[in-house]
Amino acid sequence: AFGFDDVERKARALAAQPYKPPATKLPKQWLDLDYDQYRDIRFRADHALWRAQKLPFEVMFFHPGFHFDHPVHINEVVGNSVSEVPYSAAQFDYGKNKLANASTSRFPGFAGFRVHYPINSGKYKDEVLVFLGASYFRALGKGQIYGISARGLAIDTGLASGEEFPSFVEFWLVRPAANATELTIYALLDSKRVAGAYRFIVRPGTDTAVDVRERLFLREPVTRLGIAPLTSMFLSGENQPSTANDFRPEVHDSDVVSVQSGTGEWIVRPLVNPKRLLTSSFALTNPAGFGLMQRDRAFTSYEDLEARYESAWLACRLLAQARGLPAAMLVRHFERAETD
């Protein structure tokens, strides 16, 4: 059956060749969509992948356009068979948008996808995971709303030479069994300096866990390689109140960096909104994990009806640890000025 080794071979072959930027460019009318126009394009739920099979997981797709100018190839894996999930305009409701030839437009893929599974009620499949834009992905647990984002990889973040955030260019969704409680997703990552193979095993629930395996192949030297990077926002909070006329007491996705060392020590670094780039570094041996956390849980701390952000925690299971060797990790955290 199709598996991680197959994606690894693709990544290795890709890295052996010069980098080729995505060739597909969308027509101007799709790139000119604004935020509200793009949100008005909705996937028709009755076209969801695996709905006809009445499986516990379903997948819906995002339309190319707006910021998402390079369609991503998405495949379905069923046993030994791999087939591309084809784009069709009939899969989407375009809302109030007046787009020329929208009903007959053809694209070689989608902007991304979202996974649905019942975690809050057995009568409804909730959105539990989304991949949309470059290598961004987010997951939800029971009763949660999206907040912090993870990325597949970060290269040379915070350096004057310039950052690079590789993109997922192709996915393989493994059709789950009728009683499945987890979903396997493979992904191919590519950028100017690196290609990579990824496997995500998604286990939705009260605490949704995503088990990530990755193997990277470099085309060019990298100064700072960011494995398991998180992206969050901090505008104002308890340790740095807003200077603007804002009714909200705090505005942020997260308000602390939290690290647990291999000895059980907890390191907490409050976030701020700096005037210039700020770097915090923590060197650890055999770390247990790290994350960007949202400490306050009461509505009165935020008074925001729309943005109710959640946290993310990454547990470390490094290969060296599995072999009984000391594993060193450098958690490096960057803060930039945020504007509302």
Side-chain angles (χ1 to χ4, degrees):
F2 185 91
F4 183 77
D5 290 343
D6 297 284
V7 187
E8 180 190 342
R9 282 191 287 270
K10 291 178 179 291
R12 187 189 299 271
L14 202 59
Q17 304 295 324
Y19 174 66
K20 295 180 180 179
T24 304
K25 284 290 185 181
L26 301 186
K28 189 174 185 298
Q29 68 167 346
W30 296 102
L31 297 176
D32 288 345
L33 293 173
D34 62 27
Y35 176 77
D36 291 320
Q37 289 173 322
Y38 182 75
R39 288 188 64 182
D40 206 25
I41 302 175
R42 302 179 184 276
F43 189 84
R44 298 181 185 273
D46 58 331
H47 285 69
L49 184 66
W50 303 325
R51 173 162 290 200
Q53 292 80 16
K54 297 182 179 179
L55 299 181
F57 288 89
E58 293 180 359
V59 180
M60 303 186 194
F61 303 95
F62 293 99
H63 201 287
F66 187 41
H67 295 317
F68 315 111
D69 56 350
H70 296 110
V72 175
H73 295 281
I74 300 177
N75 308 281
E76 181 188 14
V77 179
V78 184
N80 293 324
S81 174
V82 177
S83 58
E84 184 168 3
V85 179
Y87 162 90
S88 170
Q91 298 167 318
F92 295 91
D93 179 347
Y94 293 91
K96 298 178 182 179
N97 289 302
K98 305 297 182 182
L99 298 164
N101 304 318
S103 61
T104 58
S105 296
R106 297 181 180 275
F107 298 102
F110 302 91
F113 64 92
R114 60 182 190 262
V115 176
H116 293 250
Y117 182 87
I119 55 174
N120 294 303
S121 169
K123 299 179 181 179
Y124 180 78
K125 290 184 173 67
D126 307 278
E127 186 175 329
V128 296
L129 178 75
V130 61
F131 282 87
L132 178 63
S135 63
Y136 277 117
F137 63 99
R138 303 196 221 184
L140 288 175
K142 184 177 181 179
Q144 292 184 334
I145 294 175
Y146 283 126
I148 189 173
S149 298
R151 289 180 184 263
L153 196 69
I155 296 176
D156 289 354
T157 304
L159 296 183
S161 57
E163 301 170 315
E164 184 177 312
F165 298 105
S167 298
F168 290 127
V169 295
E170 190 167 5
F171 290 94
W172 292 264
L173 313 176
V174 180
R175 182 185 290 188
N179 59 348
T181 58
E182 65 181 39
L183 179 67
T184 300
I185 300 168
Y186 298 104
L188 181 65
L189 176 137
D190 195 25
S191 74
K192 183 175 182 292
R193 284 183 279 179
V194 65
Y198 283 71
R199 184 197 65 192
F200 303 89
I201 299 178
V202 186
R203 301 183 180 94
T206 302
D207 297 315
T208 291
V210 183
D211 195 331
V212 184
R213 179 185 181 188
E214 61 189 84
R215 188 161 293 165
L216 306 173
F217 303 91
L218 300 184
R219 287 192 181 91
E220 300 178 9
V222 171
T223 302
R224 182 176 290 162
L225 190 63
I227 304 295
L230 300 172
T231 298
S232 186
M233 175 274 293
F234 181 94
L235 186 65
S236 62
E238 291 176 274
N239 53 308
Q240 188 176 12
S242 174
T243 57
N245 185 18
D246 195 325
F247 69 90
R248 297 168 295 180
E250 303 178 46
V251 185
H252 47 68
D253 294 350
S254 315
D255 61 353
V256 295
V257 177
S258 178
V259 183
Q260 186 181 17
S261 72
T263 62
E265 177 189 14
W266 286 91
I267 303 168
V268 175
R269 163 71 169 82
L271 305 187
V272 296
N273 190 351
K275 294 182 178 180
R276 59 186 64 86
L277 181 68
L278 179 65
T279 304
S280 303
S281 298
F282 309 95
L284 304 104
T285 300
N286 290 333
F290 63 95
L292 289 167
M293 312 302 292
Q294 189 82 305
R295 292 177 296 180
D296 294 332
R297 313 304 299 166
F299 173 76
T300 52
S301 297
Y302 307 103
E303 298 184 16
D304 195 327
L305 292 173
E306 180 181 1
R308 292 182 285 167
Y309 298 119
E310 304 294 349
S311 306
W313 175 260
L314 291 104
C316 300
R317 292 192 299 276
L318 302 178
L319 182 60
Q321 289 175 293
R323 292 176 176 172
L325 302 173
M329 182 182 74
L330 181 66
V331 177
R332 184 171 276 125
H333 163 247
F334 306 95
E335 295 173 70
R336 291 183 175 84
E338 294 278 358
T339 57
D340 198 359

